[in-house]
Amino acid sequence: MRLLILLYIIIGSTAVYAADVNEALVQDLKARRTRVMEETAGRSVVILFSGTPKNFSNDVDYPFRQENNLYYLTGINQTGITLVLIPDNTEQREILFLPARDPSKETWTGHMLSHEEAMSISGIQHIRGADSFEPFLEKALGGKTLESSEVSDSGDYQPLTVSAEGDSIDIWMLIGNKALQKRLFEKEHTFANSLTERFSDIRLNDVSPVLQDVRLVKSDYEVQQLQKAIDITCEAHRKVMKSVQAGGYEYQLDGLIHNTYRQYGAQWGFPSIVGSGPNATTLHYEENTRQMHDGELVLLDIGAEVGHYSADVTRTIPVNGFFSDEQRTIYDLVFRAQEAAMKLVRPGATIGEVHNKARDVIKAGLKELGLITDTTGNQYRMWFMHGTSHFIGLAVHDVGGRNTVFRPGMVLTVEPGIYVREEALDHLEDTPKNQQLKNDIREAFERYKNIGVRIEDDVLVTENGYELLSGSAPRNIDSLMSEMK
């Protein structure tokens, strides 16, 4: 596998994987749908809608990206599709509703999938036109007898017919209970409300927890996709290390990164963060317009996306190829925190435990440097204000949380950082305690001011610990400086 990934990087071609990946993906998709149906079995229907194209300006849309959960179950990146799963059906347990091809639209926006193509990509055998979705609902949820032309097994829909005559039918949809989820799934909420008005004997269920649990552990195919995305991202980091120089602009590095992605058939999983000098202390800096100067660091938080799977790798490098004493000191502390935290990645651990380890190392280091006076409280959050890890996958911040227990096959980041922002002390509440704190740390603050360092790597949880997936991008100071020569 490592050899295949290396070949992918060298020749930049997906042809190497064509035969294996397509079959592996189809088998994965079938297994994923089966797992979801096992979790939602009973007199139930699972309904997932396509994402909606987002407009950029007038008649120009952003590039379409399928809703992650629907893509996870179908592998289809086309708008207008709807997936229906009926776990207790005898034959048609999986139905995909697909928009009819329209030559006039295809002239403007490109090829639309035929039923045969959708079947080949997804492995779903029952494909219907999108315009038949509403009639299907009326018959399936209304307890009416379906025409023989619509289903070859006359008993196929018996579970729904029986339930329509008595017990409720469970409808599983992406609903969510958080404000952000409700905004993301506004279409689903509107549709769910209409269902309850049209059909009295249905019970709505949120399928989000089911899909989140299924998506947590990555299959071999998913790990391969992530590894490709990570390898391309690391290649972009190495190219930046070879080309960065004083007088250049952040956007030039941004362009080099994006060009590397496209060279290998990838795209970005999120807008690149290229923050030089004081911009390195802004966590989600994305303007990428500043000129870089001699003696500064530049922080690069970047991630290529391959097949919807996104990498997330950060390196912080000196613009002139050499670390000052102060930069080296901060970098070394962040590196030690990352190494200590990474060693805790193993089955049974959690992101919370990984974070706490990185935090403790950074706390002790900050006190030693004079940037805080107390390791028992939250003073450290002036300089390290974010979590150490998140899961990656179909989303760069994928499903799973701080207390999710690690299992083999999960993939996450480990990314401690220190950011000595120039205005940080100015924003402290004006209290005698804070005045004393500012006086005590002022000398150290002036020494390390405007230094921002983050080191982020992607790791796979294995049976016995972890595997570093992003090690091809130099991490420690010696390897960084060697790469930049």
Side-chain angles (χ1 to χ4, degrees), residues 113-393:
L113 294 176
S114 67
H115 285 205
E116 293 75 19
E117 288 169 326
M119 186 182 301
S120 175
I121 293 170
S122 66
I124 296 173
Q125 299 302 306
H126 302 285
I127 313 290
R128 300 188 187 184
D131 57 359
S132 68
F133 176 64
E134 284 297 330
F136 160 81
L137 283 179
E138 289 292 336
K139 293 180 178 180
L141 300 184
K144 300 177 181 178
T145 302
L146 278 81
E147 302 296 334
S148 59
S149 61
E150 294 176 310
V151 56
S152 58
D153 185 338
S154 59
D156 202 31
Y157 286 82
Q158 187 66 17
L160 295 183
T161 303
V162 170
S163 64
E165 295 172 352
D167 296 336
S168 295
I169 303 174
D170 283 310
I171 304 296
W172 294 82
M173 296 177 58
L174 289 167
I175 298 174
N177 54 12
K178 297 180 180 179
L180 175 61
Q181 290 174 319
K182 290 181 179 179
R183 290 199 300 273
L184 289 175
F185 303 129
E186 184 177 352
K187 178 169 60 176
E188 284 78 1
H189 278 269
T190 300
F191 179 77
N193 290 335
S194 73
L195 280 184
T196 57
E197 293 174 358
R198 293 159 57 188
F199 306 105
S200 59
D201 295 325
I202 65 170
R203 182 168 51 213
L204 291 175
N205 301 271
D206 183 16
V207 77
S208 301
V210 174
L211 285 163
Q212 288 171 9
D213 185 63
V214 172
R215 284 172 52 187
L216 271 170
V217 175
K218 273 54 178 180
S219 67
D220 290 344
Y221 170 82
E222 292 181 282
V223 174
Q224 290 169 16
Q225 296 301 102
L226 281 167
Q227 185 67 74
K228 294 176 196 176
I230 292 166
D231 286 344
I232 293 168
T233 304
C234 291
E235 172 72 4
H237 272 299
R238 292 194 300 271
K239 287 188 176 181
V240 167
M241 292 173 189
K242 292 291 188 184
S243 63
V244 64
Q245 57 183 346
Y249 287 83
E250 294 167 344
Y251 56 73
Q252 292 173 319
L253 300 185
D254 190 1
L256 176 60
I257 292 163
H258 188 67
N259 178 69
T260 305
Y261 294 169
R262 301 307 297 148
Q263 180 181 353
Y264 296 116
Q267 56 187 0
W268 53 256
F270 56 92
S272 297
I273 296 171
V274 183
S276 64
N279 291 339
T281 67
T282 300
L283 300 185
H284 285 176
Y285 170 77
E286 292 178 2
E287 293 180 10
N288 301 348
T289 56
R290 182 177 178 275
Q291 188 177 32
M292 299 173 289
H293 302 289
D294 188 60
E296 295 180 337
L297 298 178
V298 56
L299 185 154
L300 305 113
D301 187 342
I302 65 176
E305 180 182 279
V306 173
H308 269 63
Y309 289 85
S310 179
D312 191 3
V313 182
T314 303
R315 295 292 182 263
T316 307
I317 62 177
V319 171
N320 61 10
F322 298 95
F323 288 88
S324 69
D325 290 342
E326 291 77 15
Q327 292 166 351
R328 180 182 288 268
T329 298
I330 296 294
Y331 192 99
D332 179 66
L333 174 53
V334 174
F335 184 79
R336 286 190 286 112
Q338 189 197 35
E339 287 280 284
M342 218 178 290
K343 290 177 181 177
L344 290 189
V345 176
R346 62 185 184 279
T350 65
I351 279 178
E353 293 170 8
V354 171
H355 172 74
N356 290 343
K357 186 62 177 180
R359 177 202 62 196
D360 290 346
V361 173
I362 285 180
K363 274 186 177 183
L366 290 173
K367 188 171 188 301
E368 185 177 343
L369 296 180
L371 283 168
I372 62 174
T373 61
D374 178 18
T375 60
T376 63
N378 290 324
Q379 287 183 10
Y380 77 96
R381 290 187 61 81
M382 290 188 294
W383 320 122
F384 176 35
M385 63 290 293
H386 61 77
T388 301
S389 298
H390 59 82
F391 293 101
I392 62 172

Side-chain angles (χ1 to χ4, degrees), residues 8 11-19 21 228 264-266 306:
Y8 177 90
I11 67 175
S13 171
T14 56
V16 173
Y17 294 91
V21 166
K228 294 176 196 176
Y264 296 116
V306 173

